[in-house]
Amino acid sequence: MKIVVFRALQLGDLLCAVPAFRALRHAYPDAEITLIGLPWAGEFVRRFSMYLDRLVIFPGYEGLPEQPYVLEATERFIGNMKAEQFDLLLQMHGNGTIVNELLERIQAKRFAGFKFPPEERPGEESLFPYPETVHEIHRHLLLLESIGIPSRGDALEFPLYSEDREAFRVLNLRLEPGEYVCLHPGSSTPARRWPVKHFAAIGDHFAESGKSVIITGSMKEIMLAAEVQQAMRYEAVSLAGKTTLGSLAILLRNAGGLISNCTGVAHIAAAVKTPSVIISMDGETQRWAPLDKQLHHSIDWTLNPGYPAVLQEAVNAITL
């Protein structure tokens, strides 16, 4: 059996789909399961090879911001996917208003996904009303349950391998597990970033208590991490641009806690069970906040835009 999942999104989006991938693999242990995703997702597919067999890179489509849209490339993509003759295509990219027409052209034997009510079109019997108020993890589990695939739990995972441990070792960090906190000031867009001055202040709070402070980030976030570092009164170590995804996960697993924007790193912390305080600048905590409310504290900045509240949550959540 050939199954293809369309979810051409970023790290946090894919991590929140892992429980659905797990359920899909348990339901079809011998199927070839393909992810249609962005170029970076090759690393994700390799890490989750127990659930996904291969990646097909999505070239982009009009109305989707993740990839530049070139009509000729998209038409070739549709032709190649149609030739695959998939048994099942799962649309896990959104509410379907943009991508459903595109994916229908792949002509899989069965097409399941979401539609945004009250839209009703002929031939959409296997598309289901988009549950707007449901957590991102549960949304896709509900989709699978609607086509007869039972859930295998909603816990996140982040498998670690020998190369991850080696990548962490070569960082040569002299850190005792639990004796440091991680700050992650980056996010996909500036509007979703908690202010630098607040990250610096909360870093100083923990440093003043005698704890080490580590600032994390991608290559694109090196300057942002440096801004936090320079705004602090105490010393902090920036590892922005220096970690692999796996070594970052080990760093987080060993940390006493994480203070982060609502971004992919928050979901890694949830997967490795590190206490965290997650600041949601766009008010979507119901959709994206980690499910374990005892271990992870999420703050909706649109409702409670005050540094003292975040500091108090951090003190309560992170016991070093």
Side-chain angles (χ1 to χ4, degrees), residues 65-197:
E66 289 80 16
Q67 287 278 80
Y69 171 55
V70 179
L71 176 61
E72 294 79 6
T74 301
E75 289 300 315
R76 285 196 301 272
F77 163 80
I78 291 296
N80 292 338
M81 293 298 93
K82 184 177 177 181
E84 292 266 4
Q85 297 185 321
F86 290 109
D87 295 291
L88 172 64
L89 190 162
L90 292 167
Q91 190 278 100
M92 293 185 178
H93 191 86
N95 63 22
T97 54
I98 296 176
V99 300
N100 282 356
E101 280 193 29
L102 171 73
L103 297 179
E104 285 168 355
R105 293 179 58 197
I106 292 175
Q107 296 183 11
K109 294 176 184 175
R110 188 177 187 189
F111 175 35
F114 294 115
K115 61 183 177 182
F116 190 66
E119 180 188 12
E120 296 286 347
R121 296 198 334 242
E124 285 193 335
E125 292 81 5
S126 61
L127 298 179
F128 305 94
Y130 185 72
E132 291 189 87
T133 60
V134 173
H135 194 282
E136 190 72 8
I137 293 172
H138 295 148
R139 177 176 291 125
H140 299 101
L141 291 175
L142 286 172
L143 172 63
L144 294 186
E145 288 172 359
S146 71
I147 59 171
I149 299 175
S151 170
R152 302 288 296 193
D154 59 11
L156 298 186
E157 303 175 34
F158 198 91
L160 294 167
Y161 301 102
S162 58
E163 56 264 34
D164 300 322
R165 291 183 280 274
E166 177 60 17
F168 182 76
R169 186 191 66 79
V170 300
L171 290 172
N172 197 29
L173 301 173
R174 297 177 181 178
L175 297 170
E176 291 296 324
E179 290 299 316
Y180 62 92
V181 295
C182 291
L183 309 181
H184 192 86
S187 189
S188 57
T189 61
R192 297 177 61 194
R193 297 172 187 163
W194 200 42
V196 164
K197 65 179 182 180

Side-chain angles (χ1 to χ4, degrees), residues 5 7 14 21 33-37 41 44-45 52 54-56:
V5 178
R7 192 162 175 81
L14 289 185
F21 298 152
I33 302 177
T34 298
L35 173 69
I36 298 175
F44 182 90
V45 170
L52 301 169
R54 64 176 179 136
L55 171 71
V56 170

Side-chain angles (χ1 to χ4, degrees), residues 184-247:
H184 192 86
S187 189
S188 57
T189 61
R192 297 177 61 194
R193 297 172 187 163
W194 200 42
V196 164
K197 65 179 182 180
H198 292 337
F199 272 108
I202 211 163
D204 280 333
H205 172 84
F206 284 102
E208 194 170 28
S209 302
K211 310 306 178 186
S212 299
V213 176
I214 308 297
I215 306 170
T216 62
S218 66
M219 290 290 293
K220 294 179 180 179
E221 294 163 346
I222 290 175
M223 294 303 296
L224 178 62
E227 287 182 41
V228 176
Q229 200 175 21
Q230 292 163 12
M232 288 180 60
R233 294 179 290 108
Y234 289 84
E235 183 179 358
V237 175
S238 174
L239 293 180
K242 298 178 182 179
T243 58
T244 64
L245 202 56
S247 63

